[in-house]
Amino acid sequence: MIKVINVVGARPNFMKVAPVVEAMRRRAAEFAPLVVHTGQHYDARMSGDFFRDLGLPEPDVHLGVGSGSHAQQTAAVMQLFEPVVLEEKPDWVVVVGDVNSTLACALVCAKLRVPVAHVEAGLRSRDRTMPEEVNRVLTDQIADLLLTPSADADRNLLAEGISAERIRLVGNVMIDSLLKHLALAGRSKVREELNVEGRDYAVVTLHRPSNVDDPATLSRIVSALAKISERLPVVFPAHPRTRRMLAEFGLLGSFEGGGRLRLVEPLGYLDFLRLYSGAALVLTDSGGIQEETTALGVPCLTLRENTERPVTVEVGTNKVVGRDPARIVREAESALALRRDGAPPRVPPLWDGHAADRILDALLERQR
Ligand code: UD1
């Protein structure tokens, strides 16, 4: 029996951990899972709603760290996570993704010499101005088991001198959640509520500091979205940080007057899945959404200068277009002109809904 602490902290963690915890509960003769929530995200719309939608059990331990500067947040997670590890004495700790909670918990384990596995290891944007890139590189250096979603991630790790024995290609566990919840999301009425059912519409998400914290950049992106909304309705579920910045920079006016460019509250997992799965186009700076649109064959424009997920461009529907408004509008027009032909989407190998069981098998194999 392997005792495992599964760490969640922020919104993009929940859909990666849910299938792992579910598989551990199913394989209860082999695994005893605990869930620790650091509290990096705490609003119901950023956290609690995802536990409900994904059927994640209530956390066994909630650290309640909340927001702060990177140093404050990372340090607070470390200070509060260390006693939990000392008390619970797990055989493994599983961390996912690239948020501050991921690095903080991996670092605690490395110092206590408790084995730690990193799910979604090996992704690299090669852009050290992204806090997530720093979190990825450092977590992969100190984790004992690196569970990768795609072959490019294995190559990145090997190129950094990490030995092949520490690396296992398991596929994309976020796609386990997506495939499992697709039918259930069909019951969501979000398209009707937003009055886009049966129509062409676009969906936007933005939350990267590089896009939303600078007034000039954010205002240029909003001007591109306004232009695109002349062609089709654009729905923008805004991260709390983004909404705050739009208000601070005096940009909320672009979304007023019941026009075709609409700012809405962040959506839960099932409502958001229902919304983007029917979109003619998605524009985003998220990492996970690049993968989810690839899995479903929905055209995606990534409003960044780079991606740590190149397989979504090489195999999938993603295109990295930067932040120049004229280019965003041009790329949106050409993506919309290419009507989808109904053929099944091209999906990278092992994005098949069974990554969680491969993760558990890799843990068992290392335990022996
Ligand atoms: C974090 C992750 C990012 C991930 C994103 C998904 C890091 C470095 N960044 O960024 O990789 O893509 O989550 O959302 O870990 N806030 C709320 N309510 C909440 C959470 C945050 O209002 O529940 C606000 C606070 O003002 C906070 C700000 O959002 O200061 C930023 O939150 P934070 O967790 O620091 O980073 P994110 O931008 O969410």
Side-chain angles (χ1 to χ4, degrees):
M1 170 78 79
I2 306 182
K3 181 173 182 180
V4 184
I5 291 183
N6 297 279
V7 175
V8 292
R11 182 168 64 175
N13 294 159
F14 305 126
M15 59 294 273
K16 295 166 194 166
V17 167
V20 173
V21 172
E22 188 190 299
M24 287 182 180
R25 291 180 136 200
R26 175 164 39 79
R27 293 167 59 171
E30 299 164 305
F31 291 92
L34 290 173
V35 175
V36 173
H37 191 333
T38 66
Q40 177 171 345
H41 283 176
Y42 42 86
D43 284 346
R45 289 180 193 274
M46 301 295 285
S47 176
D49 291 358
F50 286 79
F51 275 75
R52 181 201 59 209
D53 282 2
L54 293 159
L56 247 174
E58 281 300 303
D60 298 281
V61 181
H62 202 300
L63 305 180
V65 297
S67 301
S69 71
H70 287 275
Q72 286 166 341
Q73 193 171 56
T74 308
V77 173
M78 288 185 71
Q79 284 184 330
L80 294 169
F81 187 59
E82 183 178 58
V84 176
V85 177
L86 289 171
E87 162 88 19
E88 295 292 346
K89 301 186 179 51
D91 299 301
W92 279 91
V93 171
V94 172
V95 298
V96 301
D98 55 16
V99 301
N100 287 343
S101 300
T102 310
L103 173 62
C105 293
L107 192 49
V108 166
C109 295
K111 296 291 179 76
L112 293 177
R113 298 310 308 135
V114 170
V116 59
H118 183 207
V119 173
E120 200 185 91
L123 299 187
R124 297 290 182 267
S125 65
R126 299 191 174 75
D127 174 1
R128 293 275 174 107
T129 66
M130 283 178 84
E132 294 81 5
E133 182 71 358
V134 177
N135 293 343
R136 290 180 201 117
V137 169
L138 296 179
T139 302
D140 288 340
Q141 281 299 321
I142 56 181
D144 300 276
L145 179 58
L146 300 171
L147 300 159
T148 55
S150 46
D152 57 294
D154 292 41
R155 289 192 292 273
N156 291 337
L157 294 171
L158 293 169
E160 288 174 15
I162 290 169
S163 74
E165 297 99 73
R166 278 168 64 204
I167 307 170
R168 283 284 175 287
L169 175 59
V170 292
N172 191 331
V173 76
M174 211 176 55
I175 305 306
D176 290 18
S177 277
L178 190 160
L179 297 177
K180 179 174 172 210
H181 291 92
L182 205 48
L184 201 57
R187 294 195 208 148
S188 155
K189 292 280 165 276
V190 71
R191 293 185 197 163
E192 289 80 357
E193 284 158 16
L194 293 169
N195 193 25
V196 293
E197 176 60 31
R199 309 168 63 182
D200 273 355
Y201 62 92
V203 174
V204 177
T205 81
L206 291 173
H207 72 283
R208 297 261 159 235
S210 53
N211 278 340
V212 307
D213 287 4
D214 173 53
T217 307
L218 187 56
S219 120
R220 280 154 62 85
I221 294 176
V222 170
S223 73
L225 299 178
K227 187 83 190 147
I228 294 167
S229 74
E230 291 170 11
R231 159 106 188 244
L232 79 179
V234 175
V235 183
F236 185 172
H239 186 289
R241 167 191 211 115
T242 309
R243 184 178 284 272
R244 205 178 66 229
M245 292 307 180
L246 288 167
E248 204 173 307
F249 303 152
L251 293 169
L252 285 176
S254 313
F255 300 90
E256 278 160 10
R260 289 155 66 93
L261 179 55
R262 295 177 55 190
L263 203 63
V264 299
E265 291 297 319
L267 296 171
Y269 185 76
L270 295 172
D271 283 342
F272 189 62
L273 172 50
R274 177 73 181 154
L275 186 65
Y276 74 75
S277 61
L281 181 64
V282 169
L283 302 104
T284 190
D285 61 10
S286 151
I289 295 170
Q290 298 172 47
E291 298 180 338
E292 291 167 329
T293 47
T294 276
L296 295 179
V298 176
C300 177
L301 299 181
T302 294
L303 310 190
R304 290 171 40 187
E305 307 302 329
N306 50 54
T307 180
E308 60 288 331
R309 291 161 162 94
V311 73
T312 61
V313 177
E314 287 149 19
V315 177
T317 51
N318 187 24
K319 189 158 188 191
V320 180
V321 301
R323 284 90 53 84
D324 171 56
R327 170 142 194 232
I328 295 170
V329 172
R330 214 170 45 242
E331 296 283 2
E333 275 162 10
S334 38
L336 289 167
L338 282 176
R339 302 305 302 182
R340 286 164 69 182
D341 56 8
R346 293 203 318 140
V347 177
L350 303 183
W351 292 26
D352 59 358
H354 302 291
D357 274 306
R358 288 190 288 268
I359 290 169
L360 271 56
D361 293 342
L363 288 170
L364 275 179
E365 193 187 310
R366 288 296 297 263
Q367 190 66 9
R368 285 190 195 113

